[in-house]
Amino acid sequence: MSSAIAYSRPAGPYQSEIAVKRSRFVADLMPLAPDPRAQIEVIRQAQPKAGHHCWAYIGDPDSTDRDSSDDGEPKGTAGKPMLAMLQGLGLGQTLVVVSRYFGGVKLGTGGLVRAYGQAVREAIEQAELIRVEPMDRITLEFPYDQAGWVESLRRELKAEQVDSVYGERIRVVWQVEAVRGESVRAELAAHSHLGLVLYKQ
């Protein structure tokens, strides 16, 4: 199901680094995969000498698909601030892992919160982001003799076909930007005399 909220996600994997009182914070920002734990493990193996690999991810912003970990840092000083930064900057379908190399100076809980948040912000600011707009799905049915005309209309309306079922009639599911959903439905309803039937979502 598509998100009902617009968001941004990284176009690919990006890495950035900041130093705070000789501690190094290496942030790996990337699109979220179906198995985030596997992605996190890859970073762990790539940064084996880091003392902590704190992480946060968020799926669609309007879902509960999100999680974070302090990975041994004091509770609430890394994972939650990182997740809050992703949410605050409007990201979705995103994973970030911050690997910390201790530099010998303790930062305190407030310092850690600021450092992990800053590491995530730095990575986001350097990354190329893709804007993901909310989508609307439209289901319609029509007779076979209108198939060619309906396909021409789909292209004209710049709708993406995401499903189709061929029975006594043809049923298709189109996807358009949510802001255009009502106007596309109105255009289709205007052709109901040709046998087009719109289904309510």
Side-chain angles (χ1 to χ4, degrees), residues 143 146 149 187-197:
Q146 296 294 343
W149 177 81
E187 177 73 22
L188 293 169
H191 295 95
S192 59
H193 63 285
L194 297 176
L196 269 66
V197 176

Side-chain angles (χ1 to χ4, degrees):
M1 187 173 179
S2 300
S3 172
I5 301 173
Y7 63 89
S8 298
R9 66 171 176 81
Y14 293 88
Q15 187 179 85
S16 66
E17 180 177 329
I18 64 169
V20 180
K21 293 183 178 178
R22 297 202 298 270
S23 279
R24 291 170 53 222
F25 295 82
V26 180
D28 284 279
L29 182 79
M30 66 201 74
L32 185 65
D35 185 359
R37 307 288 171 152
Q39 289 179 286
I40 295 163
E41 188 55 37
V42 169
I43 301 301
R44 285 185 186 278
Q45 293 176 9
Q47 305 270 356
K49 295 183 179 179
H52 305 275
H53 298 90
C54 306
W55 53 264
Y57 72 77
I58 182 169
D60 288 338
D62 54 354
S63 76
T64 57
D65 184 19
R66 62 196 61 179
D67 202 359
S68 64
S69 170
D70 297 314
D71 193 44
E73 292 282 31
K75 186 176 180 180
T77 60
K80 285 185 177 179
M82 290 165 61
L83 180 57
M85 188 63 68
L86 294 179
Q87 293 175 289
L89 294 177
L91 271 75
Q93 293 296 331
T94 300
L95 165 70
V96 64
V97 181
V98 177
S99 305
R100 181 192 180 196
Y101 295 82
F102 183 54
V105 179
K106 291 186 176 181
L107 303 181
T109 55
L112 287 172
V113 169
R114 288 189 293 274
Y116 278 102
Q118 181 187 346
V120 174
R121 178 184 286 276
E122 188 84 11
I124 293 170
E125 289 179 348
Q126 291 186 21
E128 177 187 351
L129 300 178
I130 296 173
R131 187 69 172 169
V132 180
E133 296 295 335
M135 304 299 286
D136 191 357
R137 290 200 169 186
I138 299 169
T139 303
L140 64 147
E141 192 176 274
F142 49 90
Y144 279 85
D145 61 6
Q146 296 294 343
W149 177 81
V150 171
E151 174 59 17
S152 297
L153 183 62
R154 181 190 68 78
R155 293 178 183 177
E156 181 184 326
L157 295 172
K158 295 182 172 62
E160 176 191 2
Q161 185 163 306
V162 295
D163 196 14
S164 59
V165 177
Y166 295 87
E168 290 186 9
R169 289 158 56 89
I170 301 174
R171 181 180 295 194
V172 296
V173 180
W174 292 356
Q175 185 168 269
V176 298
E177 297 90 344
V179 293
R180 295 199 299 122
E182 287 308 310
S183 64
V184 170
R185 281 189 173 83
E187 177 73 22
L188 293 169
H191 295 95
S192 59
H193 63 285
L194 297 176
L196 269 66
V197 176
L198 274 173
Y199 285 83
K200 292 184 177 180
Q201 302 303 300

